[in-house]
């Protein structure tokens, strides 16, 4: 059954806002796919058509989406001039049209953590300074050992890391829309948003169906819904996903994978080290702080 | 010899801009210190006074700075009410006054990668949703194995990870000022900026002296100078720094450490996977791309 691909979102620019968040998530998706590709290419030496076949396979499962589908197509396509895979002749510098940046800036303004989306924007910025990177590559060194483990296991781990990172990134996007809803007094229907993103847009990810179902059950679902609804699966996959972190001496940059994992680990921490940061603030002259043994909102005056 | 702590920076808000970047770097420094603390506390079960002694020791070396010094003081201080270490009774939620956010937003606007600084802002945002985190900690699980390696080795690795992350973060800040200089037609003296930050401000980091010296040798020093000048030391430390990444089953959130390492690995990559991202863009309808076998600036029309 085809999904609906359009709906009325709300007043005063709500539709534009939701579209912006969609694009921020899309930036994240694209960068994560690039990281999966870079790990397979860099650590396993896989060629473009072989990776294309892997993406075709992934497109049948939980990762199924428009971007995974076209990634498979791109990887299989040949350059008419050189007959090499087209992806091997495209320069590795990406620009941006701004919507991923707007999402990141807005997240910063709203005080909502959206680190995966921001990392995907910064990854494009870093790709743009090609000449500098080429120069730096001759000076700055890193571990050079080759990956010697099982190829099948690493490909599976990369799949799982991609899937779990995706969940974290979507959670950030939905968290941002939730805050925007409060700020702008909208009545967003998150289940419906997930549904139209499933139906017709660039994301079109299979797993959005799970978000729709979760919101159908509970329209006031707590923050980070998409992580929560996928907990069991993510927990299982995360165990293998963690293995996608290659041994310390076999590295490739994977900013959105790392950032998503840090987000997950931070969000599931009842206690974060921000108490020390508050300690710093006391020293700077902000002479009140909240205590663990007092209700929130009660400020204590520092004697320090 | 005491360093100068003030200087004329430039016209049209240059001083304000440089101060903003200082604060962005300071946000990064504070968060990195929190991550070092969280790793020692969480993985090694170290108590506040013991960690205080470690920070006092670190303050004598390459990490020497005002923030490391006051961290030691805070960790040694007792709460007058409960007689517990003060840091243990402070609530783990941090606010922000905005300057770290401004730096991150401006980096996004300028297209300069400053992921470590942005992660430090997002870490504060995540700390603020305490109730959500407490709820999530009961649902979202992660690896639970205890760290069983050498304590001394791990503490040393945390030191090195902190130092290398700091280099990456400062590099981002200087890269941002360099772009701002072009944008606003300033004539910034980066060596002098490093010197006044060394002399009197919240950062006051010993290793800024190396940045000053590097700019004294070469005022037109290429981007990411602070990484480059510290290459040899960083390379050596990075090897151990990488070890601070505990085994996959022993995890704590360390967003700025991860982000700095991804930045380092990205910056030293002559080839990043953004070519695949350009492949995506071709599919979306942006029908030109640059090729690896053509000079930059020559666009090729896609036949796809």
């Amino acid at each position: 059954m085809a999904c609906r691909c359009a709906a009325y979102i709300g007043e005063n620019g709500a539709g534009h806002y939701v579209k912006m968040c969609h694009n921020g998530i899309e930036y994240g998706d694209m960068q994560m796919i690039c990281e999966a590709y870079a790990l397979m290419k860099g650590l396993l030496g896989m060629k473009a058509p072989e990776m294309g076949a892997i993406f075709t396979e992934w497109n049948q499962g939980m990762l199924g989406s428009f971007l995974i589908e076209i990634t498979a197509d791109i990887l299989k396509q040949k350059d008419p001039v050189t007959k090499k895979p087209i992806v091997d002749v495209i320069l590795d510098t990406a620009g941006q049209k701004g919507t991923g940046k707007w999402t990141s800036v807005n997240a910063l303004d709203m005080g909502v953590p959206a680190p995966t989306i921001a990392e995907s924007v910064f990854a494009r910025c870093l790709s743009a300074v090609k000449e500098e990177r080429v120069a730096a590559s001759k000076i700055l060194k890193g571990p050079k050992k080759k990956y010697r483990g099982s190829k099948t296991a690493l490909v599976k781990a990369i799949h799982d890391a991609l899937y779990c990172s995706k969940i974290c990134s979507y959670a950030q996007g939905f968290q941002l829309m939730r805050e925007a809803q409060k700020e702008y007094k909208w009545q967003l229907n998150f289940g419906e948003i997930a549904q139209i993103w499933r139906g017709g847009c660039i994301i079109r990810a299979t797993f959005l169906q799970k978000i729709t179902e979760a919101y159908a059950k509970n329209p006031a679902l707590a923050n980070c819904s998409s992580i929560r609804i996928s907990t069991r699966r993510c927990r299982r996959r995360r165990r293998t996903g963690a293995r996608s972190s290659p041994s310390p001496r076999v590295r490739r940059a994977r900013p959105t994978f790392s950032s998503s994992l840090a987000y997950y680990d931070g969000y599931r921490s009842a206690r974060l080290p921000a108490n020390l940061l508050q300690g710093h603030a006391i020293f700077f002259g902000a002479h009140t702080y909240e205590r663990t043994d007092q209700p929130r909102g009660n400020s204590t005056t520092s004697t320090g």
Side-chain angles (χ1 to χ4, degrees), chain A residues 1 22 45 96 123 125 157 195 208 245 290:
Chain A
M1 190 188 75
H22 165 278
Q96 47 160 325
C125 303
Q195 195 182 41
L208 282 163
S245 168
E290 290 183 286

Side-chain angles (χ1 to χ4, degrees), chain A residues 25 29 166-174 203 205 207-208 211 226:
Chain A
I25 289 173
D29 273 354
K166 195 177 168 85
I167 292 172
C168 292
S169 176
Y170 283 51
Q172 293 165 26
F174 276 82
I203 294 179
F207 103 111
L208 282 163
I211 300 182
S226 47

Side-chain angles (χ1 to χ4, degrees), chain A residues 41-79:
Chain A
K41 184 172 180 242
L43 302 185
L44 297 169
M46 288 169 71
K47 302 292 177 202
E50 190 185 359
M51 291 185 275
I54 296 282
F55 276 96
T56 296
E57 192 190 315
W58 288 359
N59 195 41
Q60 308 308 312
M62 295 301 303
L63 282 175
S65 60
F66 174 66
L67 284 166
I68 296 285
E69 185 190 325
I70 68 166
T71 299
D73 291 344
I74 293 160
L75 289 168
K76 290 171 191 170
Q77 197 174 314
K78 281 213 161 60
D79 171 38

Side-chain angles (χ1 to χ4, degrees), chain A residues 261-280:
Chain A
L261 188 53
Y263 175 80
Y264 181 84
D265 282 335
Y267 190 71
R268 71 183 181 86
S269 297
R271 180 104 175 138
L272 282 175
N275 50 317
L276 178 58
L277 209 139
Q278 288 293 34
H280 291 146

Side-chain angles (χ1 to χ4, degrees), chain A residues 39-281:
Chain A
L39 288 169
M40 285 191 272
K41 184 172 180 242
L43 302 185
L44 297 169
M46 288 169 71
K47 302 292 177 202
E50 190 185 359
M51 291 185 275
I54 296 282
F55 276 96
T56 296
E57 192 190 315
W58 288 359
N59 195 41
Q60 308 308 312
M62 295 301 303
L63 282 175
S65 60
F66 174 66
L67 284 166
I68 296 285
E69 185 190 325
I70 68 166
T71 299
D73 291 344
I74 293 160
L75 289 168
K76 290 171 191 170
Q77 197 174 314
K78 281 213 161 60
D79 171 38
V81 183
T82 60
K83 311 298 176 198
K84 289 181 188 171
I86 185 88
V87 77
D88 291 340
V89 299
I90 300 175
L91 197 71
D92 57 324
T93 61
Q96 47 160 325
K97 286 189 178 161
T99 46
K101 185 191 84 174
W102 299 344
T103 310
S104 306
V105 167
N106 192 257
L108 285 159
D109 279 335
M110 291 273 191
V112 174
T116 303
I117 296 171
E119 283 279 1
S120 71
V121 178
F122 286 131
R124 293 191 185 204
C125 303
L126 197 56
S127 81
V129 294
K130 171 80 175 174
E131 287 80 4
E132 265 185 63
R133 286 191 285 107
V134 170
S137 73
K138 294 168 188 154
I139 304 170
L140 305 177
K141 304 294 180 197
K144 283 198 170 168
K145 271 201 185 171
K146 289 226 160 92
Y147 173 78
R148 301 207 181 280
S150 149
K151 179 175 170 178
T152 314
L154 186 59
V155 169
K156 189 181 175 312
I158 293 168
H159 169 279
D160 293 348
L162 177 54
Y163 182 62
C164 294
S165 299
K166 195 177 168 85
I167 292 172
C168 292
S169 176
Y170 283 51
Q172 293 165 26
F174 276 82
Q175 202 164 344
L176 182 56
M177 289 191 288
R178 179 175 300 271
E179 281 306 302
Q181 166 171 258
K182 287 183 207 160
E183 178 77 17
Y184 301 114
K185 316 235 179 315
W186 291 325
Q187 293 292 324
L188 301 180
N189 182 334
F190 296 110
E192 192 174 57
I193 289 167
Q195 195 182 41
I196 60 169
W197 288 2
R198 171 88 193 84
C201 67
I202 282 183
I203 294 179
R204 261 180 276 161
T206 302
F207 103 111
L208 282 163
Q209 185 58 31
K210 294 194 170 288
I211 300 182
T212 301
E213 287 163 13
Y215 279 111
K217 273 190 209 156
N218 177 11
L221 196 69
N223 198 319
C224 249
S225 55
S226 47
I227 284 188
R228 192 171 290 187
I229 57 170
S230 308
T231 303
R232 197 180 310 165
R233 192 179 298 260
C234 186
R235 212 154 64 206
R236 201 179 66 227
R237 286 175 184 263
R238 194 177 163 283
R239 282 200 295 271
T240 48
R243 277 189 226 138
S244 81
S245 168
S247 90
R249 295 186 177 276
V250 187
R251 300 205 80 93
R252 286 296 179 284
R254 41 186 160 67
T256 56
F257 281 11
S258 305
S259 182
S260 299
L261 188 53
Y263 175 80
Y264 181 84
D265 282 335
Y267 190 71
R268 71 183 181 86
S269 297
R271 180 104 175 138
L272 282 175
N275 50 317
L276 178 58
L277 209 139
Q278 288 293 34
H280 291 146

